[in-house]
Amino acid sequence: MVNHEAFTQLVDAHYTSLYRFAYSLARSEADACDLTQQTFYVWATKGQALRDLTKVKSWLFTTLYREFLRGRRRGERMAPLDTMAPEEIEPATLEPEIVSAMDSRLVVEALHEVDEVYRVPLTLFYLEELSYQEIAAALEVPIGTVMSRLSRGKAHLRTILAARSEPAAKDGGVVAFPAIKKEARP
Amino acid sequence: MNVQEAKFILRAYRTGGSDASDAAFCEALELVRRDPELGRWFAREQGLDKAVVAKLGEVAVPAGLREAILTGARVSARQRAWWRQPVWLAMAASVALVFAAMTWLLRPGGAVSIDRLAEFAAADLRSPLHGAGAPPKHELAAKLADPALRLAVGLPFGFDRLSAMGCRTLKLGGHDVLETCFHRGSVDFHLYVMVRESSQSAGIGPEFSEKKGLSTMAWTDARYVYVVASTAGVDQLKSLL
């Protein structure tokens, strides 16, 4: 039997972050709502067996991700790992002010363009709900893989953001200088 | 650790400072303090991360999602008949087993030995219905939780008072058995008490038993038969005496 008050508290504490994670995975509002609801449904039917209540948050994120993978059509696989060229790993230098000035919709769209294999840990990282160890546990990958995917994911995202920020720097449709430059190598 | 390794690690460092105590980052953060160039890189990295975190935090959650979750709009459509759910099937099987055990344990006649009370306690604790009753009153729970209370010297409350303070009343062989739960530290204990019959000796035990992860300790004194059960092991039970 679900304790209604405890369930409400659980929903209030986590549904916003879970929805944002789901939206990053599914890239559709309706599918993100379904995933979020499904996650709490799974909690109501199975999650209460979880003894360590400090792990509820990790459990919810892990469950949402598993539900996402389960619902994915057969044959649609994530991109293989380590397919980025070494030079792509080196992130473009992008000033924080440029990102701050951007519309949040543009930033989220840029995040959606990042390959899923990097986007999933990157979104969990930017939601700041889970540590890198918890992200590794949720995705069932080694810690080093999470670190690597975060590095590559950030590089990917910054390249996309930099490209998107260029129109904002346009004057008369001509971009005089790119808004980004490659980070100087030592 | 060189600068490239430090950068690699620090890209996983959250902006809110929640990773500050994580040992994995300590060496890299120390390098940041000593290397001004790396320090500038880190400040810009954190600035960019903060900007993205802020933008992600602006993603609006659709109106009505919370209510939809709470009212279980989709849940009701997905639920199977309650009696077909695995949890109910498992519970039915458990109840059948417990019923069989209880039928044997509750057979009438004769004094109830401390062994039989211990078996009864173990069967009761494994019942899915255990814990369904109201919790004991605070006064009783607090008294039993007090490490200064040594159960070997008896209980500070009589049988009738225990019953009035929220203990469950069970039946064993036609006799009343009172049961209550209490905690000491982080350990849960379950106390079963029944009035000792004249045909039964006082001063028996304590006798210990351990089966399927559940330990019991049983003894008698001038007035009562006691069993304390716990999953924490015999040593924890001994500490109560």
Side-chain angles (χ1 to χ4, degrees):
Chain A
M1 188 74 186
V2 178
N3 176 320
H4 184 70
E5 193 179 338
F7 186 66
T8 302
Q9 285 176 1
L10 184 84
V11 171
D12 285 343
H14 301 298
Y15 87 102
T16 304
S17 293
L18 285 169
Y19 169 79
R20 288 174 181 150
F21 180 45
Y23 185 54
S24 171
L25 293 172
R27 295 185 281 191
S28 137
E29 193 176 295
D31 289 345
C33 285
D34 283 353
L35 269 175
T36 311
Q37 286 179 292
Q38 178 64 14
T39 301
F40 283 107
Y41 168 77
V42 176
W43 167 263
T45 53
K46 295 178 188 167
Q48 293 183 76
L50 187 69
R51 285 174 176 269
D52 186 351
L53 294 180
T54 61
K55 293 186 175 164
V56 168
K57 187 165 62 177
S58 292
W59 189 96
L60 289 169
F61 279 97
T62 303
T63 301
L64 191 148
Y65 181 57
R66 286 182 183 162
E67 288 298 312
F68 168 72
L69 293 178
R70 206 165 61 86
R72 188 209 298 274
R73 280 188 320 201
R74 262 187 140 181
E76 191 181 339
R77 308 293 299 175
M78 283 203 287
L81 274 177
D82 303 324
T83 53
M84 292 177 77
E87 59 271 20
E88 289 180 283
I89 299 169
E90 195 63 40
T93 301
L94 179 68
E95 295 308 319
E97 295 74 23
I98 292 175
V99 180
S100 294
M102 289 175 82
D103 188 285
S104 60
R105 184 180 50 82
L106 285 177
V107 176
V108 172
E109 281 175 6
L111 184 61
H112 286 177
E113 283 184 33
V114 175
D115 289 347
E116 186 182 308
V117 74
Y118 306 114
R119 188 174 76 244
V120 175
L122 199 57
T123 305
L124 287 172
F125 173 79
Y126 282 132
L127 286 170
E128 300 204 314
E129 295 280 356
L130 305 181
S131 67
Y132 66 96
Q133 295 107 320
E134 290 169 325
I135 294 172
L139 306 185
E140 296 177 327
V141 296
I143 285 171
T145 303
V146 167
M147 297 268 197
S148 170
R149 289 185 191 181
L150 287 178
S151 277
R152 288 159 185 259
K154 283 184 177 185
H156 221 160
L157 176 65
R158 287 171 195 178
T159 302
I160 297 165
L161 283 172
R164 282 175 178 256
S165 72
E166 284 176 0
K170 272 189 200 174
D171 184 13
V174 176
V175 181
F177 296 100
I180 59 161
K181 58 184 183 295
K182 278 289 189 185
E183 188 178 39
R185 289 171 186 271
Chain B
M1 178 180 292
N2 62 34
V3 168
Q4 288 307 318
E5 287 167 342
K7 284 183 177 180
F8 180 75
I9 288 170
L10 290 170
R11 285 190 186 108
Y13 188 83
R14 286 176 288 178
T15 64
S18 21
D19 295 320
S21 58
D22 188 320
F25 294 110
C26 288
E27 194 180 347
L29 289 170
E30 183 54 36
L31 205 56
V32 166
R33 277 187 281 273
R34 285 192 277 114
D35 182 336
E37 178 60 30
L38 183 62
R40 279 190 290 277
W41 171 87
F42 186 55
R44 194 173 59 234
E45 183 77 12
Q46 290 276 287
L48 272 167
D49 285 345
K50 271 183 192 161
V52 178
V53 166
K55 296 298 172 187
L56 198 55
E58 289 173 18
V59 173
V61 177
L65 175 60
R66 177 181 180 275
E67 286 65 33
I69 294 167
L70 291 176
T71 54
R74 290 182 65 243
V75 171
S76 58
R78 287 166 179 267
Q79 273 185 334
R80 291 186 278 177
W82 66 269
W83 52 269
R84 293 185 64 188
Q85 291 181 19
V87 65
W88 287 104
L89 291 172
M91 194 173 281
S94 302
V95 167
L97 282 172
V98 169
F99 179 77
M102 287 296 194
T103 303
W104 182 79
L105 286 166
L106 296 176
R107 65 195 185 280
V112 175
S113 67
I114 62 172
D115 291 346
R116 194 167 158 202
L117 182 59
E119 287 172 17
F120 174 81
D124 177 59
L125 283 171
R126 292 195 178 98
S127 161
L129 300 177
H130 179 85
K137 289 188 177 172
H138 175 70
E139 185 186 3
L140 175 60
K143 196 74 184 170
L144 291 171
D146 183 357
L149 175 69
R150 316 307 302 182
L151 292 183
V153 299
L155 291 172
F157 307 110
F159 202 74
D160 292 341
R161 183 90 193 280
L162 283 173
S163 180
M165 292 174 93
C167 288
R168 286 164 70 214
T169 303
L170 308 164
K171 287 284 185 188
L172 174 60
H175 308 281
D176 283 348
V177 178
L178 299 181
E179 184 270 341
T180 190
C181 306
F182 64 100
H183 315 276
R184 285 206 187 170
S186 58
V187 181
D188 293 337
F189 297 99
H190 305 269
L191 171 68
Y192 294 79
V193 186
M194 65 185 295
V195 174
R196 185 182 64 82
E197 292 172 70
S198 55
S199 59
Q200 195 170 32
S201 302
I204 298 175
E207 291 181 3
F208 298 92
S209 164
E210 204 153 22
K211 201 171 179 183
K212 293 181 183 173
L214 185 71
S215 306
T216 58
M217 173 174 70
W219 74 100
T220 64
D221 67 10
R223 291 190 296 169
Y224 302 116
V225 183
Y226 305 89
V227 170
V228 183
S230 174
T231 54
V234 167
D235 287 345
Q236 289 286 347
L237 292 173
K238 285 178 180 173
S239 71
L240 299 172
L241 293 173

